[in-house]
Amino acid sequence: MMYLSVLLLLGVVLVAQASDSTRMAKFRSAYLYQDGDQTSCMAAIIDSRAAFITASCITLDDNKPDLTIKYKIHFSTTKNEEGPMIDFTADQVTFHPNYNPKTLENNIAILQYDDDKTDGELNLFATKEFTGKTYVYDRRDFDIYENFWKAPQVFNQNSNDNDCESASPLFAANPDRYSCTSALTASFATEFCSIPYGLMYKQDTLENVLVSGIYSHSVNYGKNMCGDSSKVLSYYTLLWPYLGFAVNTLARGVSSFNETDRLVYTDTTMITMAAPTADQPQNTVVENGDLYPKQWAIEEAITNSASAVIGIQTASGDSSGDDESVASSVESSSAGGGDSNNNSSSGGLSQGQKIAIGVAVPASVIIITIGCIILYHIWKSKRQDKAWDPDAEASNLRNIALEINTGEPYLMLPPYSQASGIPDSYVHHPLETDDKKVEI
C-alpha cells in the first residue's frame, strides 16, 4: 500500500509538471541578445514596445548602458513551441535611477523597441494586491541550432528557502522585494552546468497566472553552478514595485491584475530598495548577469582537463598545477560579490579531473573486457579437445586407452536389441594389446 501511494503521488507530480509546462507555453518567452549573441537573460515583456530586463545583463560604460552594443529582444510570434521567432532592436535602454551595479540593488532596466511586426498582445503583471501564493519559476530556451522554442522548464514553490536571508544581506534588507529558491534547471549552454530559471510567475487559487518576477542574481556556496557548489540560492526581483518605474519611463500605463480585476497601472510612484547592512558571507560567490560566457569557459576547461587525464594531451611533469590554474582563471572572471579569495584552489582533484576520471575508468573497463574476450578465443582455438563421435565410440575408447599406456581394454558398446530376444545390454569385447586388461 505504501508503494502504491508513492507511485500515485509521483504520477500526480508528473501530471502537474506536464500541465504547468503546457500552460506556461502560452506565455511569450523572450531573450536578450547582445551583438548577435544569445545571453542567458530572459525578458519580461511589458507590451509590444517595451520589456523589463535585468540591469546587470546590460554591458556597462562608466556605470551607464554601453550603447555601442546592439541589443535585441528575441521572442516567438506565436504562443506555442513550434512558433517562429523574431528580433526587435532596442533603441533605448533605461536603468532604474537607483541601480547599484556593485550591490545589485534595484537590478532592473527597461528596453524599448519599435515592434510593428506582432499582434501587440500584452502580458499581465501582478500588482502588490494580487493574492497568488504559488511561485512558478520558468525558463524556456530557444534552440539556436535547431531554430525552435523548447518546452518550458517549470518549478513550483510556495515559499522562499530558509537559507535565503543568511546567504544574502541584500535579501535580508529587502525581504518583500524578492522571491528566492534553490531550484535550478539544465543549462542550454553546456551539459556540465545548471542555471537559474529566467522568470517568476504567481498563481492564485483560481488558476490565474501573472508575470511577477525576473532573475536577478545567485549566491553560491562554492565556485559555480557546474557541480562545484554545495548549494545555490537564486533571487528574483519582484516586479510590482517597479511598475511605477515603467510608467514613468514609458509615459503610459502597464497592464496588470489585482485581486479580482484586470486594470491599467498608472501610478507613477517610484519605489527603491534598501542598501544591505552587512558584507556578503565568507565562502560564497555572487553570480549575476549573462551566465553563458562563464559556463562555456568552464566547459572548455573541463574538456581540456579530461583530455589531459585520459592521455590525449601529453605533457611532462605534474599537470595538476595547470588544471588548477585554468579553474582559477575561469572562476576569477565571474562578476559578483563575495570574497575573491574564495575563487582560489582548495586542493585535491579539480572538478575537471573528477569528471575525466569518471570518463576514463569505464573506458578502461571496456578495453580490458574486450582484451579478455580476445584472449579467451585464442586459448580456445589452441586447446586440444577430443571430439566425441557417437558413430565411432569404440575407436574413441581405444585411442584413450592407448594414450594412457594401458593393456588390453574392454570396450563398452551402446545397447542394442536382436530379434532372438537378447535384451538390451552393454557387451564387453576384448581388444588385444601387448599388456594387461583394463576395464573402462
Side-chain angles (χ1 to χ4, degrees), residues 393-412 427-440:
E393 189 171 12
S395 176
N396 290 335
L397 291 171
R398 173 184 173 88
N399 290 338
I400 293 173
L402 292 176
E403 282 183 6
I404 62 176
N405 195 27
T406 62
E408 180 180 348
Y410 284 97
L411 300 182
M412 185 167 61
V427 180
H428 298 275
H429 297 270
L431 177 66
E432 294 296 330
T433 65
D434 297 334
D435 298 313
K436 59 182 180 180
K437 297 179 181 179
V438 176
E439 183 176 354
I440 300 177

Side-chain angles (χ1 to χ4, degrees), residues 177-194:
R177 298 291 189 266
Y178 291 102
S179 68
C180 170
T181 180
S182 59
L184 299 171
T185 188
S187 174
F188 178 73
T190 170
E191 62 182 348
F192 296 111
C193 304
S194 298

Side-chain angles (χ1 to χ4, degrees), residues 7-61:
L7 290 175
L8 288 175
L9 179 60
L10 179 59
V12 170
V13 171
L14 292 177
V15 169
Q17 289 178 341
S19 176
D20 287 338
S21 181
T22 301
R23 181 178 59 220
M24 299 312 297
K26 297 179 181 179
F27 287 84
R28 292 186 183 276
S29 294
Y31 274 90
L32 174 70
Y33 276 62
Q34 295 197 55
D35 283 342
D37 295 328
Q38 181 179 344
T39 70
S40 66
C41 304
M42 293 187 70
I45 301 168
I46 297 173
D47 55 28
S48 60
R49 291 180 290 164
F52 283 113
I53 196 75
T54 301
S56 59
C57 291
I58 303 296
T59 302
L60 292 177
D61 178 19

Side-chain angles (χ1 to χ4, degrees), residues 50-254:
F52 283 113
I53 196 75
T54 301
S56 59
C57 291
I58 303 296
T59 302
L60 292 177
D61 178 19
D62 193 22
N63 287 333
K64 297 179 181 179
D66 184 352
L67 299 182
T68 64
I69 292 177
K70 190 174 185 179
Y71 302 101
K72 285 188 176 184
I73 293 293
H74 176 104
F75 64 90
S76 60
T77 58
T78 57
K79 293 183 176 181
N80 59 69
E81 295 171 27
E82 302 300 329
M85 58 78 187
I86 197 165
D87 292 334
F88 300 105
T89 301
D91 53 26
Q92 190 170 348
V93 182
T94 306
F95 285 161
H96 188 280
N98 297 115
Y99 167 52
N100 187 323
K102 182 177 181 180
T103 62
L104 301 179
E105 299 159 46
N106 307 295
N107 188 15
I108 199 74
I110 291 178
L111 293 184
Q112 297 183 64
Y113 45 87
D114 184 15
D115 171 16
D116 58 358
K117 303 174 184 178
T118 68
D119 53 15
E121 292 186 32
L122 310 177
N123 277 328
L124 292 179
F125 288 85
T127 65
K128 182 179 181 180
E129 293 76 24
F130 182 62
T131 57
K133 300 297 184 183
T134 300
Y135 301 144
V136 182
Y137 295 96
D138 167 74
R139 176 171 285 276
R140 188 182 181 196
D141 292 317
F142 181 79
D143 192 323
I144 58 177
Y145 306 109
E146 300 295 334
N147 200 40
F148 77 100
W149 287 95
K150 303 175 74 173
Q153 301 300 311
V154 180
F155 177 78
N156 292 349
Q157 188 166 310
N158 293 326
S159 62
N160 293 322
D161 279 29
N162 294 330
D163 296 331
C164 292
E165 184 172 344
S166 60
S168 171
L170 182 59
F171 177 88
N174 302 275
D176 59 344
R177 298 291 189 266
Y178 291 102
S179 68
C180 170
T181 180
S182 59
L184 299 171
T185 188
S187 174
F188 178 73
T190 170
E191 62 182 348
F192 296 111
C193 304
S194 298
I195 202 166
Y197 293 86
L199 297 176
M200 189 275 287
Y201 298 76
K202 276 190 176 183
Q203 176 182 320
D204 64 10
T205 56
L206 298 178
E207 299 294 312
N208 293 310
V209 180
L210 304 176
V211 183
S212 300
I214 190 168
Y215 171 72
S216 172
H217 62 281
S218 296
V219 174
N220 297 345
Y221 284 89
K223 295 181 179 179
N224 54 59
M225 300 180 197
C226 304
D228 201 359
S229 287
S230 59
K231 189 169 187 176
V232 178
L233 293 163
S234 297
Y235 298 84
Y236 296 76
T237 303
L238 297 182
L239 293 174
W240 69 259
Y242 299 101
L243 296 181
F245 164 54
V247 173
N248 278 283
T249 302
L250 304 175
R252 61 179 181 271
V254 176

